[in-house]
Amino acid sequence: MESEFFKLCAIGLAILVGAMSPGASFLLATRVALSSSFSTSLGVAIGLGGGAMIFALIALSGLHALLSVIPALHTVLKVLGGGYLLWSAAKILLQKPRARANDSAIPTLTFTQALFSGLFTQLSNPNTAIVFASLFTTLLDHHLSITVYITVPVMTFFIDFVWFTLVALILSHSLPRCFYLRGKVTIDRITAGILGLLGLKLLLK
């Protein structure tokens, strides 16, 4: 039991490091936190946590075995994920600039839209599920208890949700928002460029 606890702690730490790493999820959480209300950012955090939880469930269900039987499935998932990131980048580039700086206080997304945006962004990278599967295979026993099946996905959701909520709390203050508003066009273009590169990397990998 003690050994299982330490294994779960190691998995939790690895998931936290992954959540903190720069990527499409972090870019989305940052941009929404700087440009929208905290409730909108909360929706993104829930969506990102939900996507990570789904990947954890898939990984625990034997993803490696499924991909070995249907190798083309990985390609399909990469195309869908890369396409979504490219679409997100294009949407940022093509959006019309606001006429007044005060309009930035108005959420650009509803809570539900933000939630699904977070969910789809998290699910856009199927390699996350493969990393989870490798991590679980390395640290967990082959015969998992029902406790592990419940604990790991819930822990994964909680870690991502808390981290991205913390990001939203920090960036929702006036100073980061003012900085974002001054360089909004440039920052959005850089964000779109990084998302586009991540999408292309996923498609070509």
Side-chain angles (χ1 to χ4, degrees):
M1 189 72 178
E2 185 176 340
S3 174
E4 188 174 88
F5 171 77
F6 285 114
K7 287 178 180 178
L8 289 174
C9 287
I11 289 173
L13 181 60
I15 291 171
L16 176 60
V17 171
M20 294 172 69
S21 301
S25 299
F26 187 78
L27 282 174
L28 173 69
T30 300
R31 185 170 179 274
V32 171
L34 288 170
S35 62
S36 303
S37 66
F38 178 72
S39 63
T40 305
S41 295
L42 203 60
V44 169
I46 293 172
L48 292 171
M53 183 175 68
I54 291 171
F55 274 149
L57 286 168
I58 293 172
L60 287 172
S61 301
L63 179 65
H64 279 310
L66 180 61
L67 291 178
S68 64
V69 175
I70 315 173
L73 178 61
H74 187 220
T75 303
V76 172
L77 292 173
K78 286 201 303 179
V79 170
L80 290 174
Y84 178 76
L85 290 179
L86 289 173
W87 175 79
S88 298
K91 189 169 69 169
I92 293 173
L93 287 174
L94 295 175
Q95 71 177 359
K96 295 180 180 179
R98 295 190 179 97
R100 301 185 307 276
N102 289 337
D103 291 342
S104 63
I106 303 172
T108 56
L109 298 171
T110 65
F111 178 85
T112 303
Q113 288 172 331
L115 191 153
F116 280 106
S117 181
L119 178 65
F120 292 146
T121 298
Q122 187 72 279
L123 295 178
S124 68
N125 187 4
N127 291 329
T128 302
I130 296 172
V131 171
F132 280 3
S134 301
L135 182 66
F136 299 161
T137 301
T138 303
L139 293 175
L140 296 176
D141 298 327
H142 292 295
H143 302 289
L144 302 177
S145 65
I146 187 66
T147 304
V148 172
Y149 272 111
I150 295 172
T151 302
V152 171
V154 171
M155 178 179 68
T156 303
F157 171 84
F158 182 76
I159 290 171
D160 273 58
F161 170 72
V162 170
W163 166 247
F164 289 114
T165 299
L166 180 61
V167 170
L169 281 170
I170 294 171
L171 296 180
S172 61
H173 291 290
S174 58
L175 186 60
R177 282 178 179 266
C178 288
F179 175 78
Y180 171 74
L181 287 175
R182 286 190 193 129
K184 182 181 184 305
V185 174
T186 301
I187 293 172
D188 283 355
R189 285 175 179 171
I190 292 173
T191 301
I194 295 173
L195 283 176
L197 288 173
L198 289 171
L200 287 174
K201 179 182 177 182
L202 193 58
L203 289 172
L204 300 175
K205 189 172 180 180

